[in-house]
Structures are given as structure tokens and as C-alpha cells.
């Protein structure tokens, strides 16, 4: 049995909107490049075993998975085996657990598909060969991960990843950033990111966004390179708000932010001399990106607003790894 641990990532420049393609090689093909920070404390642990006979057993968070989830996992395993010219297993035993609260605004599909891809390779070839192959073929592994979930292609390494076209590559910036998540709600989001990507295509704001995003990416890259946290933060917030405006103007209109989200963002925007900045995923919870530990600052904001929220502090991370 193979055990893998992988971490999710938080996007600074967002993947929002993908091609409507029937070409299987262009599945989850983003309309624009994205840039992310791989996390380390949030982790998905996945166990996988290939069997010569029997039935599939798929367990998510200690519960037998529903048909749709089980099928998604099986489809990913089969695709990776086929892409490598390997035999598809007769049956699989899969189990995965997250150490972070599900539906809390940390993208669990990214770590889940990164861990699964690592696990498949070791089930096929054993750990040493899989490790070597991954080292020499990181782009290919990233592409496999993308087939499972777009953002998963950025969880193959770290600390920073740039996803363009088929796969993501490592970026090195001289800035060590952390992500403190303000968990305002743990409700499962009403609109999946899959439906969100689709709705974005109908948004009248999307063409303008796509025209602008390359520029923003390059400015952000320069700011990170120059350790210019202020410029980085301005671009980070602009990007998050733009993604949410695109969603809001789509058909159907998608609003992930809640009253709580808006109040926290406003409170941050009103502060002068700030050295921590927000971003949002497809959910109401606020990711705060900073160099230093800002727990105390966030607790003070929440107290002032009379909002009860949990904080999840995370730091920059790296590739998935095999466990003994
Ligand atoms: O990988 P998906 O299909 O779950 O999409 C992720 C979308 C966002 O998290 C909102 C943005 C991103 O780039 O991760």
C-alpha cells in the first residue's frame, strides 16, 4: 500500500474560466495563466493500493464515497495508467483524509489529485522509480494532476508555482509568505468551482479581465522579485475582487462572498500602513497573505467587528511526498 501526503495551494492570480473543449488532452485548460503559493500545514493524506481482483473501495474522510466521487477518482487513476502505457488495475483501495476542515475555503481537490497522482505512480512502479521519474518529469506529472482538477497542477511543487497551458512550473521569489485563513463559514459552497468556471464564460467582464491578467501577472512577478510587498498586495486584492466580479456578472450570477466577507475586506481596506493583504477563493472565507504572523492583527479586526471566526495559519510548502 502506498501513502502520500500533499498540500493545497492558494492562487494569487486566479484560474477562473476554462476552455469548453472535447479534446481529452485539453481538459481543465485554463483561459489564463495563474500563480500560486503551495501550503504546508494543510495536508491531504492518501492511501492507495492496486489489486488484481475484487471491487473498488473508495473512502473519503472515513466515509464510503458517493458514486460521483468514486468515479472521478477511478477515472483519474485509469487516465494516468493509460497515458503511461500501463495496465489499469482490476480494483483499487483508496482512502483519503484532510487535516484541515473540508469546505472551509481551502481547495481540497488540489491536494487530493496531487496526492492521488503521486500514489498511482508508486503503485505502478514502486517508490524509488516513481520518485526518480517525478523528479525528471515534473511537467508531465503536473499535467496529469491538471486532468483531475485544474488547480492540482500547481500542488506538485513549491513554494510558488506558475501554471501556463498544460502544466505548472516552480517559481523562486526572495519572499517568504504565509496564508492565514479567516474561516467565516464552513458551509459547503452553493456553486461548485466547476459550475463557477462555466458561468464565468458568460460574464461580460471576462474579455476585459483576460486582456488585463497577463499584465497583472507580470507586475506581480516583478513585485515579488523586488520584495515589494505593498505592490504585490495591491495587485493581489485587485485580482481577487476581479474574479468575484466576473462571477457575479455571469449567467447564472454567482456570489461566493457573504456579509461577513465584505465586512472583513472593508475593515482591511480602511486600514492605513497595512502589511497584510487579502485574497479569496471560490468561497466566503478570507485568505490573508503576509510575511509576518498576523494572527493578532486579525483577531483585533474580528473583535472590533463582533465577528466570530476561526483562523487557520499556514506557511509555504513544497511537493507531495511518500510516507513509510
Ligand atoms: O481547480 P478548480 O477547478 O477547483 O478551480 C479552482 C478555482 C479557484 O480556486 C477559485 C482559483 C484557483 O486558481 O485556484
Amino acid at each position: 500500500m502506498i501513502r502520500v501526503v500533499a498540500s493545497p495551494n492558494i492562487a494569487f492570480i486566479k484560474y477562473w474560466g476554462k476552455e469548453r473543449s472535447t479534446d481529452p488532452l485539453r481538459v481543465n485548460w485554463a483561459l489564463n495563466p495563474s500563480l500560486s503559493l503551495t501550503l504546508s500545514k494543510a495536508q491531504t493524506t492518501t492511501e492507495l493500493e492496486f489489486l488484481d481482483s475484487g471491487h473498488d473501495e473508495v473512502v473519503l474522510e472515513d466515509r464510503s464515497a458517493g458514486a460521483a466521487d468514486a468515479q472521478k477518482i477511478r477515472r483519474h487513476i485509469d487516465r494516468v495508467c493509460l497515458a503511461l502505457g500501463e495496465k489499469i488495475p482490476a480494483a483499487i483501495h483508496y482512502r483519503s483524509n484532510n487535516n484541515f476542515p473540508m469546505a472551509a475555503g481551502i481547495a481540497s481537490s488540489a491536494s487530493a489529485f496531487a496526492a492521488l497522482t503521486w500514489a498511482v505512480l508508486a503503485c505502478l512502479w514502486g517508490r524509488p522509480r516513481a520518485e526518480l521519474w517525478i523528479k525528471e518529469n515534473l511537467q508531465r506529472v503536473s499535467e496529469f494532476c491538471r486532468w483531475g482538477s485544474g488547480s492540482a497542477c500547481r500542488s506538485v511543487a513549491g513554494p510558488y508555482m506558475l501554471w501556463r497551458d498544460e502544466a505548472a512550473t516552480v517559481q523562486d521569489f526572495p519572499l517568504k509568505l504565509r496564508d492565514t485563513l479567516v474561516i467565516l463559514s464552513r458551509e459547503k459552497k452553493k456553486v461548485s468551482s466547476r459550475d463557477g468556471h462555466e458561468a464565468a464564460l458568460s460574464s461580460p467582464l471576462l474579455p476585459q479581465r483576460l486582456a488585463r491578467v497577463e499584465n497583472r501577472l507580470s507586475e506581480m512577478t516583478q513585485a515579488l522579485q523586488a520584495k515589494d510587498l505593498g505592490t504585490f498586495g495591491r495587485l493581489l486584492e485587485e485580482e481577487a475582487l476581479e474574479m468575484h466580479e466576473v462571477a457575479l456578472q455571469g449567467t447564472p450570477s454567482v456570489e461566493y462572498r457573504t456579509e461577513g466577507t465584505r465586512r472583513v475586506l472593508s475593515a482591511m481596506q480602511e486600514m492605513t500602513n497595512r502589511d497584510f493583504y487579502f485574497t479569496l477563493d471560490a468561497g466566503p472565507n478570507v485568505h490573508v497573505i503576509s510575511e509576518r504572523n498576523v494572527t493578532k492583527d486579525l483577531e483585533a479586526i474580528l473583535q472590533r467587528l463582533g465577528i466570530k471566526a476561526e483562523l487557520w495559519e499556514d506557511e509555504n510548502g513544497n511537493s507531495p511526498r511518500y510516507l513509510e
Side-chain angles (χ1 to χ4, degrees), residues 188-225:
K188 195 169 158 25
K189 55 187 170 210
K190 291 182 282 283
V191 182
S192 67
S193 53
R194 188 183 154 180
D195 292 345
H197 285 296
E198 180 59 28
L201 299 183
S202 65
S203 177
L205 297 184
L206 189 67
Q208 299 163 37
R209 162 169 171 69
L210 294 176
R212 247 192 318 250
V213 73
E214 270 297 342
N215 237 343
R216 186 177 295 137
L217 170 64
S218 122
E219 283 177 39
M220 188 182 277
T221 305
Q222 280 168 33
L224 286 167
Q225 209 54 270

Side-chain angles (χ1 to χ4, degrees), residues 97-173:
N97 280 290
N98 294 322
N99 71 347
F100 52 93
M102 288 277 269
I106 302 180
S108 56
S109 67
S111 45
F113 281 101
L116 177 58
T117 305
W118 252 248
V120 171
L121 296 173
C123 281
L124 288 172
W125 299 331
R127 268 178 52 182
R129 182 173 161 203
E131 266 165 355
L132 192 67
W133 195 85
I134 290 167
K135 220 165 130 193
E136 289 171 355
N137 298 274
L138 197 65
Q139 283 285 103
R140 191 95 174 96
V141 185
S142 171
E143 188 181 356
F144 292 165
C145 293
R146 193 200 85 227
W147 295 342
S149 162
S151 54
C153 79
R154 299 185 311 232
S155 270
V156 302
Y160 301 99
M161 297 299 292
L162 173 67
W163 168 20
R164 197 182 273 286
D165 302 330
E166 53 271 280
T169 47
V170 183
Q171 307 293 299
D172 201 9
F173 300 122

Side-chain angles (χ1 to χ4, degrees), residues 9-16 18 28 34-36 107 109-110 148-152 154 163 189 193-194 197 243-244 256 280-283:
N9 62 79
I10 175 71
F12 295 165
I13 297 287
K14 310 289 177 184
Y15 153 47
W16 200 238
K18 58 179 157 186
N28 296 333
S34 54
L35 180 71
S36 62
S109 67
S149 162
S151 54
R154 299 185 311 232
W163 168 20
K189 55 187 170 210
S193 53
R194 188 183 154 180
H197 285 296
M243 177 199 133
H244 282 259
Y256 291 108
L280 300 163
D281 254 350

Side-chain angles (χ1 to χ4, degrees), residues 237 241 262-272 274 278:
E237 296 186 352
L241 294 176
R262 288 175 187 281
R263 291 180 64 210
V264 173
L265 300 194
S266 299
M268 284 179 69
Q269 282 165 325
E270 279 161 17
M271 291 172 74
T272 45
R274 195 156 43 99
F278 65 77

